Amino acid sequence: MVHKRIAIRFSHTFNRRAFPVLFGLAAILAVACGAAATPVPTQAPATAIPAVDASGLKTILATKMLDVGTQRVAFLLTSPKALIKVPEVQVTSVFLGEGEAASETEMAGFHLCPYGVRGSYVTEMNFDRLGPRRLDIVVNGVEDQGMTVALFEAAEHGNVPNIGPIPLLSRNKTLQNAESLEKLTTDFAPDPDLYQITVEDASATGKPTVVVFASPAFCTSPTCGPQTATLSELKAEHEVEANFIHVEIYDNPDKIQGDLNKATLSQPVQDWGISDLPDRFNESWTFILSDEGWGSQRFEGFATLEELESALQVVLAQS
């Protein structure tokens, strides 16, 4: 499957504002891709609030804001009782702004998350202009049927590195300059191999590089998942062919277990523009870089092993 690119904006400050939880969704959201050690309030943009039709189906966008151009669009679907997991659903993008009407219809496939039967739908769509859009999603399963919609704004490219350019080659912390893994990650069972090399040094190896920005202990949203564990799985299959790096979102992970009030952002998160993204806390970002260091693929939110494997194979074939 071809993947898509997404840009969002994060806040430099830790202004964590709780928002009202929609009654009836609380139990569903608690069983998304990942589980959190400590609840951290998140606030999604207003356009990402699920819309409901008579069937009771709802959409939760995993890619909350999307750029103009070809994009990876990921979302969860829920019924009043559970997460939807039929193999495919139909997705139509409808332009809502002024000017000539434009629409595109694609099929979105279900991607299973680790550790269970939950997962999200992923497809690729092309947004040809700036402005408001609606996704019309049709479910035609044996037990689940109906339609739901999601609203969003197709935006210009943000500060987060995109496909094509070479991102800032950061000198992230590694085991060579830190006393222990506890100072490098909030992961409770970290893989030491993910903390051996900087992005800058990886770019000089002549190999592709997979970089994950994530805070495993503070992954709390319904679209969050075990991205560092998935990165380790990918590494196990390609550790000779590519570099694999986890960059913790927070600079002082050993001091913030259970308490984000003491948190400071890591420098690479600021270098890559992730800290500028508003109203998004602790979501993962994954970047696949070519052997020359330019951006080959970008994933917002949880990306499955299948998606990462496919994207990595593209750059390995070009190496």
Side-chain angles (χ1 to χ4, degrees):
M1 178 179 289
V2 182
H3 306 292
K4 304 121 196 120
R5 286 70 74 186
I6 303 112
I8 299 184
R9 313 220 103 237
F10 229 123
S11 170
H12 273 288
T13 63
F14 291 96
N15 180 18
R16 291 177 287 144
R17 298 165 292 173
F19 67 97
V21 179
L22 296 177
F23 180 76
L25 267 180
I28 294 172
L29 300 189
V31 294
C33 287
T38 303
V40 181
T42 63
Q43 182 173 16
T47 54
I49 295 175
V52 186
D53 75 352
S55 66
L57 302 184
K58 300 175 184 177
T59 305
I60 304 169
L61 282 175
T63 48
K64 301 287 179 62
M65 290 185 178
L66 299 161
D67 292 347
V68 169
T70 302
Q71 304 289 294
R72 169 185 178 262
V73 181
F75 54 89
L76 282 70
L77 292 176
T78 72
S79 72
K81 295 182 180 181
L83 288 166
I84 303 295
K85 50 184 184 291
V86 301
E88 279 191 324
V89 297
Q90 178 181 288
V91 186
T92 300
S93 165
V94 181
F95 179 66
L96 302 177
E98 296 182 359
E100 181 182 357
S103 66
E104 174 189 8
T105 298
E106 301 288 348
M107 299 303 294
F110 182 75
H111 286 249
L112 189 67
C113 291
Y115 316 133
V117 295
R118 299 176 296 276
S120 60
Y121 290 89
V122 178
T123 189
E124 182 178 84
M125 308 199 85
N126 180 44
F127 307 125
D128 63 346
R129 70 195 81 174
L130 298 172
R133 287 183 177 267
R134 186 183 74 240
L135 296 180
D136 295 340
I137 302 167
V138 177
V139 178
N140 191 23
V142 176
E143 297 182 359
D144 298 301
Q145 297 183 353
M147 190 188 83
T148 179
V149 305
L151 303 175
F152 68 95
E153 192 89 10
E156 294 187 67
H157 297 299
N159 294 333
V160 178
N162 212 326
I163 307 308
I166 296 178
L168 188 61
L169 301 179
S170 300
R171 298 199 62 80
N172 47 288
K173 292 182 179 180
T174 68
L175 278 171
Q176 282 66 52
N177 53 35
E179 297 174 6
S180 64
L181 282 167
E182 288 74 17
K183 293 184 177 294
L184 295 174
T185 177
T186 60
D187 198 333
F188 294 121
D191 179 353
D193 291 345
L194 304 183
Y195 309 94
Q196 298 294 333
I197 192 170
T198 67
V199 177
E200 181 181 56
D201 290 341
S203 69
T205 64
K207 299 179 181 180
T209 299
V210 184
V211 185
V212 166
F213 290 85
S215 188
F218 294 97
C219 172
T220 59
S221 84
T223 59
C224 205
Q227 197 65 77
T228 54
T230 303
L231 180 64
S232 289
E233 289 187 70
L234 186 68
K235 179 214 70 180
E237 297 296 326
H238 300 283
E239 56 187 334
V240 176
E241 303 165 279
N243 305 299
F244 300 88
I245 300 171
H246 169 224
V247 179
E248 173 64 46
I249 288 180
Y250 301 110
D251 191 56
N252 52 344
D254 56 322
K255 298 179 180 178
I256 62 173
Q257 295 291 347
D259 184 7
L260 272 182
N261 291 321
K262 302 176 182 178
T264 57
L265 289 174
S266 67
Q267 188 59 48
V269 167
Q270 300 177 59
D271 294 342
W272 289 49
I274 298 171
S275 59
D276 294 332
L277 306 174
D279 302 324
R280 294 295 303 282
F281 295 92
N282 310 319
E283 296 289 346
S284 62
W285 284 82
T286 301
F287 301 85
I288 309 253
L289 307 181
S290 75
D291 57 347
E292 297 178 347
W294 50 266
S296 174
Q297 187 55 266
R298 181 180 69 180
F299 299 89
E300 174 202 350
F302 180 72
T304 64
L305 180 62
E306 178 187 4
E307 290 185 271
L308 296 183
E309 173 73 33
S310 179
L312 180 57
Q313 288 293 349
V314 171
V315 292
L316 286 174
Q318 297 169 347
S319 298

